[in-house]
Each structure stands twice: as C-alpha cells, then as structure tokens.
Amino acid sequence: MGVKVLQSCAAAVLLLLAPSVSSYEVPGPSLLREWPVLTAHQAATTYLEATENSRWVKTQPDGGFGKLLGCGARGLDVTPSVRNGQLEMHRDDTHIKQPLEAALREVVEWTSAHPGELVLVYLNQCQGVDCLSMTKELVNNMGLASIDQSNDCAVLENLTVDLAIRMGKQEGGGSLLVIWEPCVVENPPPSDMQCNRLIGEHSQILSNPSNQNAEKVQVSTSRRLLGRQMPDGEEQAVDLELEYSCFDDETKHQAFETLYGYMNQTLRVPSGESALREWRGRPSNRMWLVHAHWAVNAESMQAGGVVESS
C-alpha cells in the first residue's frame, strides 16, 4: 500500500489500524477489522503550541483535526482529559487546552464535506475526574455512532466497511465512527526499537536532552561525535559510540530494519501450522493497531536531542 504524504504534513507520526489478514479488498463486504486505516498518532498534539519542550511530545503538525484528515489520515488517535471541569485533551502528562467538542466538530465538518469518506476516531487513555462519563455524554449529545465494550465489542466481529459507513453517515455524505479503547489491540513497539541507539555505557552521557544548545551530529568512520554548542561559541564534542542512528547514512538501515521488522511481524500471516493456529486465535472482535514509529525512551531522547529531533 503506497502512501503519499504532502510536504506540509511531513511532521506527522502515523499508526495503522490494520487488518490481521494478508489481502486488502474494496469497501463493501470487507470486514472493518480487516480494513487498513492510516491513523494520526496522538492527534491532539496538532493543537499543542510550539515551544522548546513541546517537540518532545508534539507528533503532529499544526492545523487541527481537519488538517490531519486533509493530509490523508482517516483515523485519529484521540486522548481526552478533564482539567478544572473542562473536557479537553492530553498527551501523557502534557495537557492540551483544546475543547474535545470543538475538535470533534472539526471532524464532523470535514466528513460532511467529503462524501464517501469514512473516518474512525479512536478514543483512549481518558484522564481526570469523570473523564469517561463526560466523553461518553459528549459523543451521545453529538449523535455520533460509536463502538464500545458493550458485549465485549461484539459488533466488530461481523461489521463490514459498508455497514460502518452507513452507521456513521453525516449530513453531506461522509461518515464518522467512534471506537473506544477496549475495542483496539494496541501492539506497542518494543522499547529497544529505537531511532538512535547508543552503545552500553554511553547511554546516559547526555544528561539534558532538552538543552537548547544541542546542535549537530558529526559522522566519522567508527565514532559519532555528538556536538554541543557552548555559551562562548566554542563547540564541545562528546565522544559517543552509536550502535546505529536513523540520521547516519552508514547505519540507518539498522534502525529501519527494526521498525519494518516489528511492523511485518505484527501484520503478517505466519507460516507453520502451530503459528497459524495461534494467529487465528487472535481476537476477532477487536481492531488491530501497528505503530509506524520507533519507541521513545531516555536513551533515544538523549541521542535525538543533539540533532534537535524528538
């Protein structure tokens, strides 16, 4: 499946609400849980104001949910949060001061203007007092069709794409369907699947990854010199060994091999009778999610900080 990403959308980090089968068919009789959906990871960060620290949590370009849908996403990973009685959004510990209702109305407006399109909103990681009840009340008051844990998400067992489109039909012709957290298998990437991987004892040498003076990487044959600009304008080079880096032409293939390996392992139909039996035993009443991004931990943030990358 090819994906064309517009230049203005290049900052997006994507997930794939993906099938657990090996073939993609046309809409209609295809089951929704076997239909690939390109999904914006931590979509609420499109509303996060750009600051020095926001680059560690902001995975989406500015512009709102409508912009993400215009960039090609057809799924939105949305994390509600309640603060001071207001239903807004978050990413982990970062609160995002954008009303959830206003954001969802952007999706309604976009789908109403795009006949035949189906957008999935994945609501998960609700934070704060009464967050879940307030979010459910909002979804009901907006008249949005949703799939939740009722009967253990049983509707997904036989729900076709065609029926999902009809369930979520908006005025104007597009469709919007809300899917709640228990109805998606997350398949998080392993913690050692990193964009930048430092060798053993060097993993903690950069103690402040958000340092504003972090500037560049210089590449040598066997070493990667992580340069830090000092206040007097002189560069202090810290000699670190990288096992690999997605920024280094010589070793980036290793970073991408770990990413593609995880994605292929999560998506593919296995061979062998025993493995196939286990694969067929996967939940048939859940969506299946694969993360099209590396894992983030303290080590990868330290290495990424010196090239102003999160």
Side-chain angles (χ1 to χ4, degrees):
M1 180 180 65
V3 178
K4 182 178 181 180
V5 180
L6 303 179
Q7 184 174 4
S8 61
C9 309
V13 177
L14 302 172
L15 307 172
L16 186 66
L17 282 173
S20 50
V21 295
S22 58
S23 63
Y24 303 128
E25 300 177 0
V26 297
S30 299
L31 294 174
L32 181 65
R33 59 185 173 83
E34 296 179 354
W35 184 250
V37 181
L38 204 60
T39 303
H41 178 46
Q42 296 288 354
T45 61
T46 183
Y47 301 103
L48 188 61
E49 182 180 355
T51 65
E52 175 62 27
N53 291 325
S54 70
R55 66 194 179 102
W56 300 104
V57 294
K58 187 174 176 64
T59 62
Q60 300 300 333
D62 294 340
F65 284 173
K67 168 73 171 291
L68 302 184
L69 296 171
C71 285
R74 289 300 177 267
L76 299 171
D77 167 30
V78 179
T79 48
S81 177
V82 174
R83 177 174 288 190
N84 299 325
Q86 301 299 309
L87 182 57
E88 296 172 328
M89 292 176 286
H90 74 95
R91 181 184 179 182
D92 301 324
D93 295 330
T94 301
H95 186 75
I96 300 171
K97 287 186 63 61
Q98 171 70 13
L100 179 60
E101 180 175 359
L104 290 179
R105 292 203 180 279
E106 284 187 48
V107 184
V108 171
E109 181 179 350
W110 191 92
T111 53
S112 296
H114 292 80
E117 294 285 359
L118 171 63
V119 174
L120 303 182
V121 173
Y122 170 39
L123 292 174
N124 64 99
Q125 299 181 35
C126 220
Q127 283 188 358
V129 177
D130 297 326
C131 179
L132 190 58
S133 61
M134 290 175 67
T135 304
K136 287 186 174 182
E137 182 179 10
L138 173 61
V139 169
N140 291 335
N141 289 344
M142 291 182 66
L144 304 179
S146 66
I147 298 173
D148 60 19
Q149 62 267 42
S150 301
N151 298 317
D152 196 27
C153 311
V155 68
L156 282 173
E157 181 94 32
N158 298 304
L159 181 65
T160 63
V161 176
D162 183 64
L163 181 55
I165 290 173
R166 284 184 278 150
M167 281 178 61
K169 198 69 132 180
Q170 301 294 308
E171 183 179 352
S175 299
L176 166 58
L177 187 61
V178 172
I179 299 181
W180 293 84
E181 182 170 13
C183 299
V184 175
V185 177
E186 281 273 354
N187 297 306
S191 61
D192 61 351
M193 192 185 83
Q194 299 170 20
C195 178
N196 305 286
R197 187 175 179 86
L198 298 174
I199 290 178
E201 66 270 21
H202 301 294
S203 65
Q204 299 301 319
I205 198 166
L206 293 177
S207 60
N208 185 11
S210 62
N211 190 311
Q212 295 184 22
N213 296 319
E215 186 168 87
K216 64 181 178 179
V217 167
Q218 301 172 333
V219 180
S220 63
T221 302
S222 61
R223 295 270 185 174
R224 310 299 181 263
L225 300 179
L226 306 187
R228 175 162 299 181
Q229 193 70 27
M230 304 305 290
D232 60 3
E234 295 182 3
E235 181 180 297
Q236 180 188 43
V238 181
D239 195 10
L240 296 180
E241 275 190 290
L242 290 179
E243 183 178 339
Y244 59 76
S245 171
C246 56
F247 295 100
D248 176 19
D249 288 340
E250 295 178 13
T251 62
K252 66 182 181 182
H253 66 279
Q254 293 177 255
F256 282 94
E257 283 170 3
T258 62
L259 175 62
Y260 297 152
Y262 151 77
M263 294 182 69
N264 289 333
Q265 182 66 32
T266 306
L267 289 172
R268 73 182 181 187
V269 178
S271 59
E273 185 176 342
S274 176
L276 191 57
R277 276 200 306 270
E278 182 179 349
W279 177 83
R280 285 173 174 159
R282 289 197 261 187
S284 59
N285 56 345
R286 298 287 191 277
M287 300 294 285
W288 194 256
L289 189 148
V290 59
H291 296 247
H293 61 86
W294 287 280
V296 176
N297 59 25
E299 177 186 336
S300 63
M301 289 175 67
Q302 288 172 336
V306 296
V307 288
E308 298 185 351
S309 170
S310 56

